[in-house]
Amino acid sequence: MTITLADVERARRMLAGVALRTPMLAAPKLSGLTGAEVFVKYENLQVTNSFKDRGAFVKLSALSEEERRRGVIAMSAGNHAQAVAYHARRLGIPATIVMPITTPFVKIKATEAFGAEIVLEGETLAECQNRVDAIIAERQCVLVHPYDDPAIIAGQGTIALEMLDEIGDLDVLVIPIGGGGLIAGNAIAARGVRPIIEIVGVEAKFYPCMRNVLTGANDPVGGSTLAEGIAVKNVGVLTVPVVRELVKNIVLVDEAHLERAVNAYLTLQKTMAEGAGAAGLAAMLAAPELFRGRKVGLILCGGNIDPRILASIMVRELERDDRIVSFRLTIMDRPGELGAIASLLGELGANILEVDHRRLFLDVPAKGASLDVTVETRDHAHAEAIMRALARGGYRPARLAARASN
């Protein structure tokens, strides 16, 4: 391994007074949800709302005056972009950022706000690479790689040092994997300080790149994921041997568990997590048997989530929990019928969210109508009680599939 604990400790000294020493707090509600004793490191509280502040500063501060004059370039889906742009501006270094066209708008605007030149290219980071190479050839910029760089890896590893300063007897660290910079740096640091600690990695199910490399599998890579921050098709040359030696297991998480984790951070911890930032918690929800009864450290590594996506996730979780329910009724098309149904639902304690009244469906009588109703309920049992009451009223209720797919 080319990065050592001494490198991480040196990076920590460089970051003193620059990067926030973020809180490391017990999370009793997440402990109740997962069956483990959970502690969360809130890296979403950094200036750019992600852990990337650390590695970016360590890399940029080590550049020579001649390299600074030439400027830097980075490719990123958002968080690395913001960190490079932010610290480049602080250090007076021109910065160009190449981002996939699929990058959430909130991340593009935030990066622009730090004064960087933005270039949108391709669907993924891999497709950005050719544009980056062309710009480097033209301008002689210095590449600030998002994960495959010793300074970046060492900077990210400072998180684990702070975590173990706070909770020295952690059993497990659960760390998201994109290209591997975050997990490599923190595995080196954590195992250097506490050799018996277990490191578990997390990848999005659609992007099992690191697991493919380590196991020789050829599982497909690609697709739309909430965790776009770890949606990479190529892992780091420097990171693979570190992960192979120090990481015990890699958990793949699907979109439903990522959504559930984002929602849990928001509703239980009252904090913002993007998909990649919540991946560690998603792994605990997807494979609770790996963590039950153990003392677990999570890195909430980023909070830059599109507000529209976050709103959608919250509604989807309400539908999954039967707290928003849609059903179709067959009713007589006559005055007062809608009022009677509304009164019945009110008596049952259901809050009506949406009504769609249709008369032209062929599967209802000519003198009848179809009524689609969406209501807010307390829980699954309440939803079932409402359905039974509607059936007793002769309305032939049928549950409709949730608008947000389960």
Side-chain angles (χ1 to χ4, degrees), residues 29-88:
K29 292 180 181 179
L30 298 184
S31 298
L33 185 65
T34 61
E37 186 179 1
V38 179
F39 297 83
V40 178
K41 180 70 165 167
Y42 289 89
E43 284 295 292
N44 61 337
L45 298 180
Q46 296 289 355
V47 171
T48 63
N49 303 114
S50 92
F51 75 98
K52 293 287 190 175
D53 270 19
R54 297 173 182 261
F57 179 80
V58 173
K59 174 65 177 179
L60 293 178
S61 63
L63 296 179
S64 68
E65 286 301 319
E66 192 273 335
E67 289 172 323
R68 294 186 183 202
R69 179 188 57 79
R70 284 155 46 194
V72 297
I73 187 168
M75 57 180 183
S76 170
N79 289 337
H80 181 63
Q82 292 177 63
V84 171
Y86 170 64
H87 288 296

Side-chain angles (χ1 to χ4, degrees), residues 5 164 168 170-171 187-199 245-246:
L5 176 60
L164 289 168
L170 288 173
D171 297 313
I188 290 167
R191 293 289 295 276
V193 172
R194 180 170 166 78
I196 64 172
I197 197 168
E198 184 178 306
I199 311 296
E245 181 173 342
L246 300 180

Side-chain angles (χ1 to χ4, degrees), residues 197-217:
I197 197 168
E198 184 178 306
I199 311 296
V200 174
V202 189
E203 290 187 296
K205 185 177 181 179
F206 290 149
Y207 290 85
C209 304
M210 184 67 76
R211 198 174 78 160
N212 278 353
V213 170
L214 297 181
T215 64

Side-chain angles (χ1 to χ4, degrees), residues 231-248:
V232 304
K233 291 189 175 181
N234 298 295
V235 294
V237 174
L238 298 176
T239 62
V240 168
V242 178
V243 176
R244 178 177 285 118
E245 181 173 342
L246 300 180
V247 176
K248 180 177 182 180

Side-chain angles (χ1 to χ4, degrees), residues 266 305-318:
L266 183 64
I305 187 169
D306 188 316
R308 180 181 60 84
I309 299 299
L310 184 59
S312 175
I313 289 170
M314 293 177 68
V315 172
R316 291 163 68 92
E317 287 304 303
L318 289 172

